[in-house]
Amino acid sequence: MSSSARVSVKANRLEEILFAAAECFQQQGFAATSIDTVARHLGATKGRIYHYFPSKMDLFNAVRDRAMELAFEAIKEGYESTRPTEVRLGMMVRGQALGMMQYHSFMQVLLDGLRMRRYGATTEFQRQAMALHLEQRDAFEAMYREVLSKGHEEGLFKIGRMSITLRSFVISANSPVFWYQKRDDDDQAKLEAIADEIVAFAMRGLGVDWPDDEFLHSNQVRQTT
Amino acid sequence: MSSSARVSVKANRLEEILFAAAECFQQQGFAATSIDTVARHLGATKGRIYHYFPSKMDLFNAVRDRAMELAFEAIKEGYESTRPTEVRLGMMVRGQALGMMQYHSFMQVLLDGLRMRRYGATTEFQRQAMALHLEQRDAFEAMYREVLSKGHEEGLFKIGRMSITLRSFVISANSPVFWYQKRDDDDQAKLEAIADEIVAFAMRGLGVDWPDDEFLHSNQVRQTT
DNA sequence: ATGGAAACATACTACCGAGTATGCTGTCAA
DNA sequence: TTGACAGCATACTCGGTAGTATGTTTCCAT
């Protein structure tokens, strides 16, 4: 076996563990999930997991970091778009809502991570990882804040106090993470229809006269597909 | 000591334990919270808690039930009001958002309870308690659904698919539970200002042309205070 | 006053789960 | 071929935790 092939096998193993861990953490939360549970989910034993991750906390952090990457990826297209501000924002919400459904397990882990802010960070290294993660969260929020501010200055959005509106808005985009459940029959179109509904609610929340018709809207936004 | 005085002492003890448990469960979640931790929070030992609650799960259920009661109480005034539909709904959101901040610990426990739906119910009795709780959740959601439907029929609200809009709307009202943190300087007026901001966002999300001015709005709604 | 029960604290058991130490097997490099 | 290391599985340690059993004290009813 060539060296590069070994690397990819190793990368695959990491991915397998990451996905299994994400599902377990999502279903039961960090504290209630044992390493053995994750291992059983993989059809393996603890040995395998501890061969790739030094501790349970590191495994969790890896899942959380991945979730963060996915979240950034989800809003990237909208954020970087040069279209009008309200369209950009709509694309961001749409991408994020879709991400919440498509990567549901990973995203739910982000919630769990929030709670750890207070009590969990024992070692210095862990504290650093937590600090880094909080920075990423801030950066993520800042992207929304920037676009919201821009739209506000342009007279497009009704925003009272930015901090409250921002949080309400982002929570709306996140909302599928709380109630979405995978069904056998959901295809991409179905998820997009749900996402469009969320976009409409969130955009109207800012006082934008978002069109009622889902198809009109998705044709307008889905220019790149 | 009279018999009735003993009852009230016992009720006080129950309340103490309930509040301490709520805080602990909120900070660390159910699984990560030990009975000893709750006891230490009370300046007592396990004996005290197990004297009043047969198991950790029963304690958690008690906290969750209380949280449910508080949630119902929070939206009751708005729901039972005879004012126009959009005002009723605004009052409901306002009450709920306030409740999420005022009873923050209890409310956060409701979130944790959601996750247990899947894995946690071991005994038959526990299964019943969970089923009862899910009924209550449905009943709670149904109250919002009813008012939303009424407003939709009256042509007041823009609602695409009810299930999605309903969830987005309720999540918006719940949103302070995710980010609110008690400060030393928050008085009732401050919380109400936050709540008003959330109400504005949520109502606009339904396409209602909710007024910008917070004071105007709160004078309009806060008729009973 | 005194038996007894309520209201706990203390001491103990039994188990589970994170982390470790060690053993086993295939694979590659020299 | 061989040794050495990756890639695990197995077997163990040990601290923490739910629940129990057993004191101990206070307080009330009789």
Side-chain angles (χ1 to χ4, degrees):
Chain A
M1 188 188 289
S2 77
S3 172
S4 69
R6 260 237 302 282
V7 166
S8 104
V9 164
K10 181 162 183 173
N12 277 339
R13 287 303 197 189
L14 281 168
E15 284 295 288
E16 280 178 27
I17 296 174
L18 224 53
F19 273 76
E23 285 188 7
C24 294
F25 286 145
Q26 180 228 348
Q27 287 174 15
Q28 315 189 354
F30 174 74
T33 300
S34 73
I35 296 286
D36 293 278
T37 302
V38 180
R40 231 171 308 155
H41 212 75
L42 282 164
T45 64
K46 285 157 70 148
R48 177 123 136 218
I49 293 177
Y50 278 106
H51 183 71
Y52 291 90
F53 295 92
S55 78
K56 183 184 176 185
M57 196 61 183
D58 285 277
L59 176 57
F60 181 83
N61 284 336
V63 174
R64 201 183 47 185
D65 287 347
R66 169 62 60 87
M68 254 304 179
E69 288 174 22
L70 292 170
F72 273 109
E73 190 61 29
I75 64 169
K76 190 184 177 195
E77 185 186 347
Y79 179 73
E80 291 177 348
S81 167
T82 57
R83 308 188 68 193
T85 308
E86 83 276 11
V87 176
R88 283 180 65 202
L89 192 58
M91 291 171 74
M92 287 170 73
V93 175
R94 191 171 198 272
Q96 186 169 345
L98 279 173
M100 290 294 147
M101 294 184 279
Q102 288 171 317
Y103 314 114
H104 188 241
S105 299
F106 280 92
M107 294 309 177
Q108 189 131 2
V109 171
L110 283 178
L111 292 182
D112 236 31
L114 271 178
R115 217 199 295 267
M116 290 182 185
R117 209 172 0 191
R118 287 292 174 84
Y119 86 108
T122 44
T123 76
E124 179 55 32
F125 187 76
Q126 287 299 340
R127 232 182 297 276
Q128 284 184 1
M130 178 58 73
L132 182 66
H133 176 248
L134 289 180
E135 276 180 33
Q136 288 179 318
R137 278 200 69 85
D138 288 345
F140 186 80
E141 242 189 35
M143 291 170 74
Y144 272 106
R145 187 190 296 268
E146 178 195 327
V147 179
L148 281 175
S149 288
K150 184 156 186 276
H152 187 47
E153 287 162 12
E154 293 169 351
L156 295 169
F157 305 151
K158 291 182 188 170
I159 296 174
R161 274 195 288 171
M162 173 57 88
S163 61
I164 314 294
T165 306
L166 173 64
R167 290 175 197 276
S168 298
F169 188 82
V170 175
I171 291 276
S172 292
N174 280 332
S175 75
V177 90
F178 300 110
W179 46 262
Y180 175 73
Q181 294 189 36
K182 258 186 201 163
R183 312 233 177 200
D184 296 335
D185 62 336
D186 35 54
D187 49 0
Q188 184 67 11
K190 221 166 194 180
L191 299 192
E192 287 182 1
I194 295 176
D196 284 329
E197 193 78 35
I198 292 167
V199 171
F201 179 83
M203 295 306 295
R204 286 183 184 139
L206 297 177
V208 178
D209 187 24
W210 204 257
D212 235 355
D213 192 327
E214 286 180 16
F215 297 101
L216 177 66
H217 159 225
S218 37
N219 287 336
Q220 202 175 28
V221 167
R222 220 192 306 154
Q223 130 239 25
T224 52
T225 352
Chain B
M1 188 189 290
S2 77
S3 172
S4 69
R6 261 237 302 281
V7 167
S8 104
V9 164
K10 181 161 183 172
N12 278 338
R13 287 305 197 189
L14 281 168
E15 285 294 288
E16 279 178 28
I17 296 174
L18 225 53
F19 273 76
E23 285 188 7
C24 294
F25 286 144
Q26 180 229 347
Q27 287 173 15
Q28 316 189 352
F30 174 75
T33 300
S34 74
I35 295 286
D36 293 277
T37 303
V38 179
R40 232 172 308 155
H41 212 76
L42 281 164
T45 65
K46 285 158 70 147
R48 177 123 136 220
I49 294 177
Y50 278 105
H51 183 72
Y52 291 90
F53 295 92
S55 78
K56 184 185 174 185
M57 197 60 183
D58 285 275
L59 176 57
F60 181 82
N61 283 338
V63 173
R64 200 184 48 185
D65 287 347
R66 170 60 61 85
M68 255 303 180
E69 289 174 21
L70 291 170
F72 273 109
E73 191 60 30
I75 65 168
K76 190 183 177 195
E77 185 186 347
Y79 180 73
E80 292 177 348
S81 166
T82 56
R83 309 188 66 193
T85 308
E86 83 276 10
V87 176
R88 282 180 66 203
L89 191 59
M91 290 171 74
M92 287 170 73
V93 175
R94 191 170 197 272
Q96 187 170 346
L98 279 173
M100 290 294 147
M101 293 184 279
Q102 288 171 318
Y103 314 113
H104 188 241
S105 298
F106 280 91
M107 294 309 177
Q108 189 130 2
V109 171
L110 284 177
L111 292 182
D112 235 34
L114 270 179
R115 218 197 294 266
M116 291 183 183
R117 211 173 356 193
R118 287 293 174 82
Y119 86 109
T122 46
T123 76
E124 179 56 32
F125 188 77
Q126 287 298 339
R127 233 182 297 276
Q128 284 184 1
M130 178 59 73
L132 182 66
H133 176 248
L134 289 180
E135 277 181 31
Q136 288 179 319
R137 278 199 70 85
D138 288 345
F140 186 80
E141 241 189 37
M143 291 169 74
Y144 271 106
R145 186 189 298 267
E146 178 194 328
V147 179
L148 281 175
S149 288
K150 184 156 186 276
H152 187 46
E153 288 163 11
E154 293 169 350
L156 295 169
F157 306 152
K158 292 181 187 170
I159 297 175
R161 275 196 286 171
M162 173 57 88
S163 62
I164 313 293
T165 306
L166 174 63
R167 290 175 196 278
S168 297
F169 189 80
V170 174
I171 291 275
S172 292
N174 280 332
S175 75
V177 90
F178 300 110
W179 45 262
Y180 175 72
Q181 294 189 35
K182 259 186 201 164
R183 312 233 176 199
D184 297 335
D185 63 334
D186 36 52
D187 49 359
Q188 184 66 12
K190 221 164 193 181
L191 299 193
E192 288 182 359
I194 294 176
D196 284 328
E197 193 78 36
I198 292 167
V199 171
F201 180 84
M203 296 305 296
R204 286 183 185 141
L206 297 177
V208 178
D209 187 24
W210 204 256
D212 234 357
D213 191 329
E214 285 180 14
F215 297 100
L216 178 66
H217 158 226
S218 35
N219 287 335
Q220 202 174 30
V221 167
R222 221 192 303 153
Q223 129 239 32
T224 51
T225 350

